[in-house]
Each structure stands twice: as structure tokens, then as C-alpha cells.
Amino acid sequence: MNPKERFLNACRQKPVDRPPVWMMRQAGRYLPEYRAIRKNHPTLEMMKNPDIACEITLQPVDLVKVDAAILYSDILIVPEAMGLKLDFVKDHGPVFDQAVRSTEALFRLNRRDVPERCPFVFETIKKIKQKLPQDFPLLGFAGAPFTVGAYMVGGDGSYEGNEIKKLAFQNRHLFRQLMEKLTHATIDYLKAQVSAGVDAVQLFDTWAGTLNAQDYEELALPYTREILKAINETGTPTILYIKGGSHLFSKMLQSQAQVISIDWRLSLSEAKQMAQGSVAIQGNFDPAHLYLPIPKIEEAVRKMFEDWGTGPGYIINLGHGITPDVSVENAKAFIDYAKQHGATTLS
Amino acid sequence: MNPKERFLNACRQKPVDRPPVWMMRQAGRYLPEYRAIRKNHPTLEMMKNPDIACEITLQPVDLVKVDAAILYSDILIVPEAMGLKLDFVKDHGPVFDQAVRSTEALFRLNRRDVPERCPFVFETIKKIKQKLPQDFPLLGFAGAPFTVGAYMVGGDGSYEGNEIKKLAFQNRHLFRQLMEKLTHATIDYLKAQVSAGVDAVQLFDTWAGTLNAQDYEELALPYTREILKAINETGTPTILYIKGGSHLFSKMLQSQAQVISIDWRLSLSEAKQMAQGSVAIQGNFDPAHLYLPIPKIEEAVRKMFEDWGTGPGYIINLGHGITPDVSVENAKAFIDYAKQHGATTLS
């Protein structure tokens, strides 16, 4: 079974020889080869240069032997293409030149030609496809509107997504307009990724975990569903991830995602039981467990497998991005063990 | 029924005329009277000056008419008393002069005479008791060891409590020593608060919500339980709060807390059902809902009451601290409605 079949079959809950394994933020700072590039280039430049972005995307495939590549980019490329000026500030994260909190600010944002305004993304995808073996899967991704909106309304990501909730509760009309604009832009953006060649897409809704179930259903789920529905029509598998979203899992089942990616706050067994075979599950290794000595990492992976039990529709992953200070050796131990023993989760 | 009886009865699941209501961070920046003091005094100075700390503690009692006062202080006063230098950096939060990541750094910390090293806390409590009517409840508090340790190991609270998890997984021995030292110090500290006159205590375990259930049981719960057990022996009711702890609720039931304080990620009805009458419940209004127009705030409180259903053992509160940009009018509307209609939750 080749890697692409393995990954797509896992997404579709079809038979595999073993579950595929990859890591969120696998193309990142824990790799010395990534840090070497980063030393000479600002983050945004690395994303906008297809040669560099391609090289970074392929690093974990070569160095850690993950089972899928994921495009090196950022969820905030969409608002950048809509007209905001984005910067990545060291030790702080992404910052925009302005906070979008008025009809005027919203009106100034483009949404019709988002893919044309970030051609580097699709050039990168094409380059990656040329370099990767044809039978190796490449994932694309985007941020869900609630989360991308949280950064746009906040100006930066600080204060726990409070500003986007404030907007939703103080000016529901403007909030909806922003969400709708982002929804349309994100559909165009992800469709363009599919056209450029990605084999599956993941939608990240990081800040949605700050909502209660009812607010999630009103403020985030409808937009997520509209996007996933549009991508499902292309036949490309979709994965939905919410950090700290254990309390939203039953709502996420209504999103039309084919795969739900969970963190360690929800056990695989609970998720599987709630899903009742309606979606595949991705997750849920706590990246902090990569700090453990290697035999303990292996034990923790074994426990995760036991928690899954048996059956198809499982993609092994972390529950959140790998942290920059994890050793490559430990990351490799996770991947190796998952590959060698993952088949025990099949039957 | 006087306010103290009402509060203590609610903690003990005994009959009340209506459930009491207060707000986490009620003595805080949303009050212009608080901001006026803050303009002239650094945060730590406000906490260390009993006159000022007393005045700030009483502000929400006078201005917003909450049903309980909570000592104006910080969970990091304990490590400060143990010998770390604490500073509150604007727009960033608390920072220590050093990160405690070695046996040597841990060894340098005191734990035997913590109350003697922060006498201002107990002077403040005594002052508050003099100014408050005798029948009005005052809450003390402390941080739980996992959370306080997260700040001590991190140097600051950034990166989501990652450093404390790293320590727990890389050096379990040092982690345990730190937790034990903090546990003993916190018991002494809370007992001294009880002696000074507080009527109930809340233990804040903010960062424990980043743990999965099994890790919580190993890394946080034992220390929390030891503290709560020691305070229970004094006869003073104990409240345990974890932000984003919905996935840990069943473990929190094993903590020996008499009240569990939950956020909006867990519904009151689910919590009540899981608790089966073993604890009282405090919560769980999303502070972001205080941005709503007042009639919608009232509607949201009504819904919260419906979710509770009926029965004793309910303390009305937010699910997290009130944010600085909420209007006093809206905070008052929350408190007023809770007072006027809270009795509907009794039977």
C-alpha cells in the first residue's frame, strides 16, 4: 500500500496496512535544518518564497519520515491576501497593522481574488508535488473563519480570542459580515490549493475552543460547514481541528468533516464512541509527552493505541503542534514506534 | 438569611433563600475606582499595602453589590514569599526574576515561614473583616501547586504552561520536590488566611486544564487534595477552580473540594449530573456574554438557571474572570438579575 492510498483510505475509514502518522507543525523549529533557514529569512518571506517553503515542507518527510507532508504556510495568509499587512513578531507571534473592527475596515478587505493575491502558495504546492514521490500525500490547510477572524479583530492573537467574542456579542451584524467574507475567501483559497494538487485539507479552528457548545453552533460551525461542504464536493478529504475542543466534539460531528482531529483532553475511545463510525479520528498525543525519555514515549504511544482499540479510520498525530524544544530524536521515536506498531490498532 | 449564612449554606448544599452571586476578578480593572488607584500604584504595591488592598476588595461589594468579597491579592504571592522576585509587567502579566528549573534553585526557596514573609495578606484580611458587616462573607484564595509551579518554572506564564509539563516529563523527581514544597507552603498560607478570618477559600488551578485526565491525576490532583484536606479540617469550605477543566470534572470530584467551580465549556446540568450531589457547583457564565446588551445578558442568565434546573448547592459566578473592558452597568445587570431571579433555581 503506498503512502497516498494509506492516508486517503484512513481519512475515508477504508482498510489500511497500518494507520498513517504525521505531526502538526512538523515543518518547524524543532528541526535544526529549519532553524538554519529561519536564521537568514523572516517568517513571512519563507512562506512567500516557493523554493524555501517547498524545502521546509519536505524537511520532516526526509528527516523524520512522516507519512504525509503538510504545506509550510500560515492560516493568516488569507487575511494578508485580503489586504491586511501581516508581520510575525519574535516571541509574540502574528500581528496585523490594524484591527478589523468597523464596517469601513471590513469593506476595505478584498475577498474575490484571494488566490490571485497569494500565488506563491500554489506555486509552492506545485513545486512540492514535483519533488515528492507521486504516491506521497500532501496536505493543504486554512484557518476557519472564527479563528482567522479572532486574529483580524484582535490585531494580534492575544487575550485568548476575547475580541472576536466581543464583536460577536456587541455587533452581530458586523461579525456575520466578517465571517461570510472569510468563508467565501477560504473556499476559494482551499479550492485553489486542491487545484494545485493537495490531496487532503485540514481546517484549523484554534480559538473556537473558547466557545461554549451553543455559541460554537451559532458563531463558528455554520461557516466551517459551508467551507467543508464546498471542499467535499471536490472529492478531497477534509480534516477539522479545534484546540481544546473536547467539549465541542459532538457539534464537530455536524461539520461535514470526514476526519476530526482531537487533542489529549478527549480520549480516542470517547471520541470513537461518540462518532459511531461517522468520521475518522486524528490525534491525540500530547506533544509534551515528547519530552519523556524514549522508552516512556513508546509506552505512551502504546497506551494511545490501547485507547483507540481496533478498527479503521485512525490517523496518528499529536493533539497540537510539536514544540520547538523537542529533540529530533524524540520526534523520530514517536514516528518510528507509530509506524512499527500502528498495525496493532487495525484488528 | 444573612449573606454569610447564604454563602456558607450554598457551599454546603444546605437550604438558602436564593443562591449567592459573585464574580471572579470582581475587584479589578473594569471598575473606574480600581483604575484610579492603579494609576498611582504598581500592582504589587497595591497588594502589599493593606489599606489599598482592603479598599479594592470592598469596591465591588459597594459598587456592584456582589454577595461575597474576595481578598485582593495574587496567586503568586506564595512564591514571592518563598524568595522569588515578582513583577507585574504591563500587557504581559506576572514575571519572576528567575525560572526555577534546578535542584539548587528549588533549594534556595523557603517554605517554612511563608505566612511570616507576607504579613500584609493577613493584615489586609483583618482590615477587611473590620470594615465588612460581620454577617458578610470574605473569601481567601491561593493557586494550586501545578499552576503556581507553572509560573515558577516558566519564569512567566507564557507558552501555555508548557515548561511545567516539560519538567514533569523530563525530571519527575525535581517536579515532585517542587510540588511538595508548594503544597506545604500553600497549606500554611491558607491556614493563616483562615486564622485571619476568611470564611471560605478558593484554590485556582488555571494551568491544570492543559493536562489530560491521567496526567492531571498524577501531576496535579494529589497536591490539590492534600491542600484541600488540610483546609477541610479547619471547617472552612473549599472551592476548586480549573479554567478549561471540563474534561477533568470527574477527577475534580476526587479532590475533596466542597464546591467545584466550572467554566462555560461544561454545562451546569452535566456537572450536576456527574456530581450526584457530592459537591456544590459554582459557575459558569461566560464573561464574554457580559458584552451583550443588558436584555440579552438577562436572557443568558435565565438560560443558565434553566440549565441548572432546581436544587441546592449552587453559587452563581462567571466561568472565568471578568474582562477589563466590560461596563460596570453590564456587570451590575448580571448581579441584579442573579439576585432577583436566582430563587427560581431552588425548587
Side-chain angles (χ1 to χ4, degrees):
Chain A
M1 177 163 266
N2 73 48
K4 191 185 284 187
E5 281 175 329
R6 184 181 297 121
F7 194 86
L8 296 179
N9 276 11
C11 290
R12 293 169 177 143
Q13 302 182 71
K14 291 185 179 167
V16 288
D17 56 347
R18 61 174 178 81
V21 56
W22 67 285
M23 297 185 295
M24 284 192 264
R25 269 191 227 152
Q26 64 187 14
R29 277 194 284 160
Y30 73 105
L31 290 172
E33 292 80 357
Y34 174 92
R35 294 197 298 270
I37 299 175
R38 194 170 175 259
K39 215 193 290 179
N40 300 314
H41 303 276
T43 306
L44 202 54
E45 188 188 305
M46 300 197 300
M47 290 171 188
K48 289 190 173 184
N49 180 322
D51 287 316
I52 295 178
C54 172
E55 186 181 341
I56 293 174
T57 300
L58 298 179
Q59 282 177 348
V61 179
D62 297 335
L63 299 166
V64 195
K65 312 287 182 204
V66 292
D67 285 326
I70 181 161
L71 172 69
Y72 177 69
S73 186
D74 192 87
I75 62 167
L76 300 184
I77 291 299
V78 166
E80 218 242 356
M82 291 169 91
L84 293 184
K85 202 172 140 39
L86 175 64
D87 197 11
F88 288 89
V89 179
K90 209 179 173 242
D91 298 326
H92 181 86
V95 178
F96 286 116
D97 60 331
Q98 53 170 302
V100 178
R101 296 183 194 172
S102 67
T103 309
E104 296 67 38
L106 181 65
F107 188 77
R108 279 196 299 272
L109 300 177
N110 295 287
R111 77 138 182 99
R112 292 193 187 281
D113 53 354
V114 163
E116 288 76 13
R117 286 162 168 272
C118 50
F120 52 87
V121 171
F122 314 102
E123 282 165 42
T124 302
I125 292 171
K126 283 171 194 160
K127 257 187 210 296
I128 299 166
K129 296 292 284 188
Q130 282 162 14
K131 297 228 174 169
L132 269 184
Q134 259 212 318
D135 63 4
F136 200 88
L138 172 64
L139 277 71
F141 72 93
F146 185 82
T147 290
V148 174
Y151 286 95
M152 292 168 79
V153 173
D156 60 19
S158 60
Y159 215 58
E160 306 194 341
N162 185 57
E163 290 297 334
I164 187 77
K165 288 170 86 169
K166 190 174 175 181
L167 179 69
F169 296 133
Q170 286 188 337
N171 189 342
R172 187 63 60 98
H173 182 67
L174 182 61
F175 172 82
R176 281 210 190 103
Q177 285 183 310
L178 173 61
M179 290 299 108
E180 280 161 18
K181 212 160 183 171
L182 279 169
T183 299
H184 295 143
T186 307
I187 289 172
D188 291 348
Y189 179 68
L190 284 176
K191 279 191 171 173
Q193 288 190 23
V194 169
S195 298
V198 301
D199 301 295
V201 299
Q202 179 154 329
L203 199 63
F204 289 85
D205 209 355
T206 312
W207 290 113
T210 63
L211 296 168
N212 72 20
Q214 197 196 324
D215 287 337
Y216 176 72
E217 200 163 16
E218 270 179 57
L219 304 177
L221 181 60
Y223 311 105
T224 291
R225 187 160 39 210
E226 197 175 333
I227 293 166
L228 294 175
K229 216 172 142 184
I231 305 309
N232 285 342
E233 283 165 12
T234 68
T236 306
T238 50
I239 307 170
L240 175 62
Y241 171 72
I242 298 180
K243 185 184 136 202
S246 58
H247 61 297
L248 303 176
F249 187 80
S250 63
K251 302 287 179 194
M252 292 168 82
L253 291 174
Q254 301 162 26
S255 68
Q256 307 224 9
Q258 283 166 284
V259 185
I260 306 241
S261 189
I262 63 171
D263 76 16
W264 55 93
R265 292 173 180 88
L266 186 67
S267 70
L268 288 172
S269 52
E270 283 172 287
K272 205 172 146 194
Q273 209 210 330
M274 280 195 271
Q276 291 285 333
S278 63
V279 294
I281 309 282
Q282 176 175 275
N284 73 343
F285 199 80
D286 183 348
H289 288 163
L290 294 176
Y291 295 130
L292 288 164
I294 287 174
K296 293 271 186 189
I297 291 177
E298 295 177 347
E299 193 186 314
V301 180
R302 194 161 53 241
K303 275 191 191 156
M304 175 173 69
F305 289 169
E306 280 168 21
D307 184 29
W308 172 261
T310 55
Y314 178 34
I315 298 171
I316 306 165
N317 203 326
L318 308 178
H320 192 215
I322 183 168
T323 46
D325 52 357
V326 164
S327 76
V328 178
E329 208 191 342
N330 284 24
K332 267 187 188 156
F334 169 74
I335 299 292
D336 286 350
Y337 192 90
K339 285 178 156 185
Q340 280 163 29
H341 300 272
T344 58
T345 65
L346 297 177
S347 62
Chain B
M1 175 162 268
N2 73 48
K4 192 186 283 188
E5 282 175 329
R6 185 181 296 121
F7 194 87
L8 296 180
N9 275 11
C11 290
R12 292 169 178 143
Q13 303 182 70
K14 289 185 180 166
V16 288
D17 56 348
R18 61 173 178 81
V21 57
W22 66 286
M23 296 184 296
M24 283 192 264
R25 269 190 228 151
Q26 64 188 13
R29 278 193 282 159
Y30 73 105
L31 290 172
E33 292 80 356
Y34 173 92
R35 294 196 299 268
I37 298 174
R38 194 169 176 260
K39 215 193 290 183
N40 299 315
H41 303 276
T43 306
L44 202 54
E45 189 188 305
M46 300 197 301
M47 291 172 189
K48 290 190 172 183
N49 180 322
D51 288 314
I52 295 178
C54 173
E55 186 182 343
I56 293 174
T57 300
L58 298 178
Q59 282 178 347
V61 179
D62 297 334
L63 300 166
V64 194
K65 312 287 183 206
V66 291
D67 285 327
I70 180 161
L71 173 69
Y72 177 69
S73 186
D74 192 87
I75 61 167
L76 300 183
I77 291 299
V78 167
E80 218 241 357
M82 291 169 91
L84 294 185
K85 203 173 140 36
L86 175 64
D87 196 11
F88 288 89
V89 179
K90 209 180 173 241
D91 297 326
H92 182 86
V95 178
F96 286 116
D97 60 331
Q98 52 169 302
V100 179
R101 297 185 194 169
S102 66
T103 309
E104 296 68 39
L106 181 66
F107 189 77
R108 280 196 298 271
L109 299 179
N110 295 288
R111 77 136 183 100
R112 293 195 186 280
D113 53 353
V114 162
E116 288 76 14
R117 289 163 166 269
C118 51
F120 51 89
V121 170
F122 315 101
E123 283 165 41
T124 302
I125 292 171
K126 283 171 194 158
K127 257 187 210 294
I128 299 166
K129 295 293 285 187
Q130 283 161 14
K131 297 229 172 168
L132 268 184
Q134 259 211 318
D135 64 3
F136 199 89
L138 171 64
L139 278 70
F141 72 93
F146 184 81
T147 290
V148 174
Y151 286 96
M152 293 168 79
V153 173
D156 61 20
S158 60
Y159 215 57
E160 307 194 339
N162 185 58
E163 289 298 334
I164 188 76
K165 288 170 86 169
K166 190 175 173 179
L167 179 69
F169 296 133
Q170 285 188 339
N171 190 342
R172 188 62 61 96
H173 182 67
L174 183 60
F175 172 82
R176 281 210 190 102
Q177 285 183 310
L178 173 61
M179 290 299 107
E180 280 160 20
K181 211 159 185 174
L182 279 169
T183 299
H184 295 142
T186 307
I187 289 172
D188 291 348
Y189 179 68
L190 284 175
K191 279 191 171 171
Q193 288 191 24
V194 170
S195 298
V198 301
D199 301 295
V201 298
Q202 179 155 328
L203 199 62
F204 288 86
D205 208 355
T206 312
W207 290 114
T210 64
L211 296 169
N212 72 20
Q214 197 196 324
D215 287 337
Y216 176 73
E217 199 163 17
E218 271 180 56
L219 305 177
L221 180 60
Y223 311 105
T224 291
R225 187 160 39 210
E226 197 174 333
I227 294 166
L228 294 176
K229 215 171 142 184
I231 306 309
N232 285 343
E233 282 165 14
T234 68
T236 307
T238 49
I239 309 171
L240 174 62
Y241 171 71
I242 298 181
K243 184 183 136 203
S246 56
H247 62 296
L248 302 176
F249 187 81
S250 63
K251 302 287 178 193
M252 292 167 82
L253 291 175
Q254 301 163 26
S255 68
Q256 306 223 9
Q258 282 164 285
V259 185
I260 305 232
S261 189
I262 63 171
D263 77 15
W264 55 93
R265 291 174 181 87
L266 186 67
S267 70
L268 289 171
S269 51
E270 283 173 288
K272 205 172 148 195
Q273 209 210 329
M274 280 194 273
Q276 292 284 334
S278 62
V279 294
I281 310 282
Q282 176 174 274
N284 73 343
F285 199 80
D286 183 349
H289 287 162
L290 295 176
Y291 295 130
L292 288 164
I294 288 174
K296 293 272 185 187
I297 291 177
E298 296 177 347
E299 193 186 314
V301 180
R302 193 159 56 240
K303 275 190 191 159
M304 176 173 69
F305 288 169
E306 281 168 21
D307 184 30
W308 172 260
T310 56
Y314 178 34
I315 299 171
I316 306 166
N317 202 326
L318 308 178
H320 193 215
I322 183 169
T323 47
D325 53 357
V326 164
S327 76
V328 178
E329 208 192 342
N330 285 24
K332 268 187 187 154
F334 169 75
I335 298 293
D336 287 350
Y337 191 91
K339 284 177 157 184
Q340 281 163 28
H341 300 273
T344 58
T345 65
L346 296 177
S347 62

